[in-house]
Amino acid sequence: MKTQASMKLILNLLSLILFTSPFSSARKQSLCHNNERSALIHFKVSFSIFKLASSDPSAYPKTELWNPIGNGSNCCLWDGITCDEETGHVIGLDLSSSYLHGSINSNSTIFDLVHLQTLNLANNDFGYSLIPIKIGCLLNLKHLNLSSASFFGQVPIAISNLSKLLSLDLSDNQDPLSGANMLRLGNPGLKTLIQNSTALEIIKLNHIIMSSQVPKFLENLTSLRYIGLKDCELHGAFPKGIFLLPNLQFLDMASNGDLVGHLPEFHNSSKLEYLSLYSTGFSGNIPTSIGNLRSLTTLDWLNCSFQGSIPHSLGQLTELTVLALTENNFEGWIPKSLANLTQLYWLGLAQNNLIGEVPSFFANLTKLHFLGLGFNGLWGPFPSFIFGLESLELILLEGNKFSGSVEIDLFLKPKHLKLLQLSEVDLLLPTMAHHNDSFPQFLGLTFQKCNLSQFPYFLHNQTKLQLLDLRHNQIEGPLLVPSSSLLYYDLSYNELNGEISTSICNSTSLSFIDLEDNTLSGRIPQCLMNLSSSMTILSFNQNNLQGSIPDSFSSACTLEMINLGNNQLQGRLPRSLANCSSLEVLDLGNNLITDTLPSWLGALTKLQALALGSNRLHGTLPVEFKLGFPELHIVDLSDNKLTGSLSNQLFHNWHAMGAQSRPIKLHGLNHNHQCIWVQYDISVAILHYNKVQREGNI
């Protein structure tokens, strides 16, 4: 008995010595198989190293030190390689963010690594390669990540062979220039792709064109923790049971505009932490049971169709950092229970039908960086206490009915403030300008209908400003020379005078400029037309501008609207205007332009509105004019000296005028200060006060 006990003790001691000695690490250190080493080396040399192939700041060339000979020949020790400790087979290959550049197909030696359990090639550039069909032969795969790797075409159904998959990530394969989605999952679709992988925990298929319904089959995958199906052109009714999957933590169905559905009654056992339905067709009331989602940190329902009141139970979600309910149909008062959400970083309630005063508890949400309350029906005293929140970077308050006057210096308190949008608030400027270099450097400012009579003094110190909207005030004097960083410049409906300085052209990235309805005089700076390769909107309507229109539109002109009507412009129509092939609205009416109707106007095939009335145009309608303009809804050539005849064929060619409920687009601005178009359903041709004869019945 003693002998057995002593032998057992000796064996235990030997075991302890072996597994803690230097020899143990050598024993456990796997030596890779020659054929797998060879396969890896052949895979390495099939690609070049190109730094622009990976966008991740932490990227580096993992394959660079792979060496098939000498001391470094053990591929199990190579960067990105994991081997099985017992067999030495390569079971993991992580070459994400490795600067790999080149194409890949089913002949790649990577598919000789038949023991692979993990394959990660994310964030490289495979040059619009198809995902190789042979990937379906890696039957041991548990984790497959081909995201952000410039793959193109149909997702191979061979992936359905991978029945052991726990995570599948094919997301974000988009064209780096256009942003277009490059992968498709058509017929067969999503259900067929994953129906054999019943243990799936993670599905990331964002930005893949599916054009299908969400399969109800997903309700059966009870292991799912993560579902990412953003921007997949999904449509139809969303299966409610997916919300209730017992292990689901992350659900992103954003940017599927035709996807509809209603919220379920949530269970208090839910593990959801992230829920995004941004820009979908989800509708209905929010159930009180939303308060059961106690783990939720992000709730993004921006641009949906939810309605009713915001439930008080939202105040139970004390872990929330993002609450985005902008652009819905919520009504009633802002619930007091939101005071409990002290972790909020982002609070978006804009563009709803909320009423009442801004609750004072907002002053206690000290972690807020973004506050959006614009375009509701809020009233009461202007909520000055908001500007005591030192962390705020964006404040959107425009489109409400606040009362009282506000000292403009109030807005200089939050030192991190980047974007401020107000409207219909009486702003009081100090009697003496301050000279202070510590002003916040704004990125965007909107003071619309704020009774300003002069430019706020701190605008002269802004070097990073990209958006400036001061329309509908009473600002007098010369035009403010904008910051060189400016993209959007709207000073319309003021009382500005003097000439447009050439300094405006220092803003070389200018995209939108609207100086409509002022009393500006002089010539249009020629250098402005040189910027037409970046501009979309140019509007100087209703001023006193003179001289000719500069004939210097860029050959890469991107303008979509030009409105120079109601001035005193002379000369001919600039020939370089033909470069602006994206033009949808061209208004040069009520000027002194002397010219014939040039044939090149017919090349502007996207025109929806053409106004050349009340000028000094003469001659006949060119053939190109009669045959062009398939999108034209409005044409005004009245009060000129045009001659010729109109035929039935002319209006037949302008077939868009006969379309019902086709919108004409004239420029405007949306609530997020992005360039959009205001739409008018109108189709009309105005040709009177010319010597134009009618042929037949028009």
Side-chain angles (χ1 to χ4, degrees):
M1 185 72 71
K2 285 183 179 181
T3 304
Q4 290 178 342
S6 61
M7 286 295 296
K8 187 174 181 180
L9 178 60
I10 292 170
L11 287 173
N12 287 338
L13 288 171
L14 283 172
S15 175
L16 182 63
I17 292 169
L18 283 172
F19 283 101
T20 56
S21 71
F23 302 105
S24 66
S25 60
R27 177 185 173 185
K28 295 174 71 174
Q29 189 181 85
S30 302
L31 292 173
C32 71
H33 295 256
N34 290 334
N35 63 325
E36 294 183 342
R37 181 194 303 110
S38 176
L40 288 168
I41 290 299
H42 279 89
F43 180 76
K44 168 188 174 177
V45 300
S46 66
F47 297 98
S48 59
I49 299 298
F50 183 51
K51 285 193 174 183
L52 294 180
S54 300
S55 58
D56 190 332
S58 63
Y60 66 98
K62 296 179 182 177
T63 61
E64 197 167 54
L65 296 180
W66 287 8
N67 185 4
I69 58 177
N71 295 332
S73 63
N74 184 2
C75 66
C76 293
L77 300 179
W78 292 351
D79 207 350
I81 306 298
T82 302
C83 291
D84 185 283
E85 291 184 359
E86 299 296 328
T87 66
H89 286 301
V90 175
I91 60 172
L93 180 59
D94 181 359
L95 295 180
S96 58
S97 303
S98 295
Y99 299 145
L100 298 181
H101 178 72
S103 60
I104 185 173
N105 56 44
S106 288
N107 293 324
S108 173
T109 55
I110 196 174
F111 301 113
D112 295 337
L113 305 175
V114 294
H115 300 281
L116 274 181
Q117 298 178 21
T118 298
L119 176 59
N120 188 347
L121 301 177
N123 195 31
N124 289 290
D125 183 0
F126 294 107
Y128 305 103
S129 297
L130 298 173
I131 296 177
I133 294 175
K134 206 167 180 181
I135 204 160
C137 297
L138 301 177
L139 299 179
N140 291 301
L141 271 186
K142 296 180 180 179
H143 305 281
L144 176 60
N145 189 343
L146 304 179
S147 64
S148 302
S150 295
F151 283 108
F152 176 83
Q154 171 71 24
V155 176
I157 198 60
I159 290 178
S160 64
N161 296 336
L162 308 179
S163 59
K164 297 180 181 179
L165 273 184
L166 300 179
S167 66
L168 174 63
D169 188 352
L170 307 178
S171 60
D172 302 331
N173 282 283
Q174 297 174 286
D175 187 278
L177 297 178
S178 68
N181 298 339
M182 298 198 300
L183 283 180
R184 301 187 310 275
L185 184 53
N187 189 13
L190 177 58
K191 179 181 178 181
T192 305
L193 187 74
I194 63 174
Q195 64 182 357
N196 297 324
S197 306
T198 54
L200 265 174
E201 298 177 4
I202 297 173
I203 301 175
K204 295 183 181 182
L205 301 176
N206 298 327
H207 306 296
I208 296 178
I209 301 171
M210 298 185 189
S211 301
S212 65
Q213 295 187 335
V214 179
K216 192 173 176 62
F217 167 77
L218 287 179
E219 294 179 328
N220 301 328
L221 301 181
T222 55
S223 297
L224 278 174
R225 295 185 288 111
Y226 189 116
I227 300 176
L229 295 173
K230 179 180 180 179
D231 185 26
C232 294
E233 298 184 15
L234 296 167
H235 57 79
F238 184 78
K240 275 188 178 182
I242 294 176
F243 287 112
L244 305 177
L245 286 168
N247 294 297
L248 193 63
Q249 299 172 19
F250 189 105
L251 178 60
D252 187 356
M253 303 302 303
S255 300
N256 289 291
D258 295 323
L259 185 65
V260 299
H262 296 85
L263 300 176
E265 291 294 330
F266 292 101
H267 302 154
N268 57 15
S269 59
S270 175
K271 297 179 180 179
L272 267 176
E273 298 176 8
Y274 183 102
L275 177 54
S276 177
L277 304 175
Y278 163 79
S279 285
T280 63
F282 276 81
S283 60
N285 294 339
I286 299 180
T288 303
S289 59
I290 190 74
N292 288 330
L293 305 181
R294 301 297 180 91
S295 299
L296 206 62
T297 60
T298 297
L299 193 158
D300 185 357
W301 293 345
L302 188 150
N303 191 25
C304 293
S305 298
F306 290 113
Q307 62 191 36
S309 59
I310 298 174
H312 288 271
S313 57
L314 267 181
Q316 299 173 22
L317 309 182
T318 55
E319 300 298 317
L320 270 183
T321 58
V322 175
L323 176 58
L325 303 179
T326 299
E327 289 188 74
N328 281 278
N329 299 306
F330 293 116
E331 57 190 19
W333 296 63
I334 298 173
K336 295 180 180 179
S337 62
L338 298 191
N340 299 327
L341 308 183
T342 55
Q343 302 302 310
L344 277 179
Y345 175 95
W346 182 289
L347 177 58
L349 302 176
Q351 299 178 58
N352 283 287
N353 301 306
L354 302 174
I355 59 173
E357 297 185 7
V358 176
S360 58
F361 68 73
F362 277 20
N364 299 323
L365 302 179
T366 56
K367 295 186 179 181
L368 268 185
H369 285 242
F370 173 92
L371 177 60
L373 300 175
F375 298 98
N376 280 289
L378 300 173
W379 63 65
F382 184 81
S384 299
F385 52 83
I386 287 174
F387 293 86
L389 295 171
E390 296 182 358
S391 297
L392 275 174
E393 297 180 47
L394 299 92
I395 304 176
L396 313 181
L397 298 175
E398 62 182 325
N400 287 292
K401 301 294 181 183
F402 298 124
S403 59
S405 299
V406 182
E407 295 279 354
I408 203 166
D409 282 359
L410 175 70
F411 309 140
L412 306 181
K413 288 185 176 181
K415 296 305 179 185
H416 302 289
L417 194 58
K418 298 292 188 293
L419 177 64
L420 174 61
Q421 297 182 350
L422 301 177
S423 67
E424 300 182 60
V425 175
D426 288 336
L427 294 182
L428 302 178
L429 294 172
T431 54
M432 269 182 105
H434 295 253
H435 297 284
N436 190 335
D437 294 332
S438 65
F439 294 138
Q441 286 294 312
F442 293 103
L443 296 179
L445 283 171
T446 295
F447 296 147
Q448 184 189 151
K449 296 183 180 179
C450 289
N451 294 325
L452 290 172
S453 59
Q454 63 188 69
F455 290 109
Y457 63 92
F458 55 81
L459 287 180
H460 299 283
N461 299 86
Q462 299 298 315
T463 59
K464 299 180 180 179
L465 197 63
Q466 297 181 27
L467 179 151
L468 181 61
D469 181 1
L470 302 180
R471 55 188 156 144
H472 291 284
N473 284 286
Q474 295 88 45
I475 300 175
E476 300 176 340
L479 192 64
L480 175 74
V481 176
S483 162
S484 61
S485 58
L486 207 63
L487 303 175
Y488 184 102
Y489 192 37
D490 192 343
L491 300 180
S492 59
Y493 299 94
N494 278 284
E495 299 174 14
L496 299 169
N497 53 49
E499 297 188 357
I500 301 174
S501 169
T502 56
S503 299
I504 198 171
C505 299
N506 293 334
S507 302
T508 53
S509 299
L510 202 59
S511 175
F512 181 113
I513 179 168
D514 188 352
L515 305 178
E516 181 175 353
D517 205 344
N518 284 281
T519 56
L520 296 167
S521 58
R523 293 175 172 268
I524 298 174
Q526 179 171 334
C527 59
L528 256 184
M529 303 315 175
N530 297 334
L531 301 181
S532 59
S533 59
S534 64
M535 283 197 288
T536 55
I537 308 293
L538 174 65
S539 179
F540 295 162
N541 181 52
Q542 202 75 40
N543 280 282
N544 296 320
L545 298 174
Q546 300 155 358
S548 59
I549 301 172
D551 193 6
S552 54
F553 289 94
S554 167
S555 59
C557 176
T558 56
L559 278 163
E560 298 176 10
M561 194 206 82
I562 298 174
N563 187 355
L564 303 178
N566 299 289
N567 282 284
Q568 300 174 43
L569 298 171
Q570 303 165 343
R572 304 183 65 182
L573 294 169
R575 176 65 180 83
S576 60
L577 193 58
N579 297 332
C580 301
S581 57
S582 298
L583 266 183
E584 298 182 18
V585 176
L586 176 60
D587 185 353
L588 304 178
N590 199 21
N591 279 290
L592 303 172
I593 297 172
T594 304
D595 202 352
T596 58
L597 276 179
S599 59
W600 52 258
L601 269 178
L604 304 179
T605 57
K606 294 184 179 180
L607 271 182
Q608 299 186 40
L610 174 63
L612 299 175
S614 300
N615 276 287
R616 297 175 179 177
L617 301 176
H618 56 275
T620 59
L621 299 179
V623 173
E624 292 85 356
F625 188 88
K626 294 180 181 181
L627 297 178
F629 311 127
E631 302 296 325
L632 199 63
H633 283 257
I634 298 175
V635 56
D636 181 1
L637 304 178
S638 64
D639 199 13
N640 281 289
K641 297 180 180 180
L642 298 169
T643 61
S645 61
L646 299 176
S647 65
N648 290 333
Q649 185 63 35
L650 172 65
F651 287 91
H652 177 74
N653 293 336
W654 294 349
H655 56 80
M657 287 191 179
Q660 305 245 335
S661 297
R662 287 283 305 275
I664 278 299
K665 300 177 176 180
L666 299 176
H667 85 280
L669 186 70
N670 72 3
H671 300 318
N672 295 320
H673 280 117
Q674 299 166 327
C675 296
I676 62 163
W677 301 92
V678 178
Q679 300 181 348
Y680 295 89
D681 293 326
I682 185 169
S683 294
V684 64
I686 306 173
L687 301 162
H688 58 277
Y689 299 112
N690 289 287
K691 295 182 180 180
V692 178
Q693 299 175 348
R694 186 178 67 184
E695 291 182 1
N697 296 316
I698 297 177

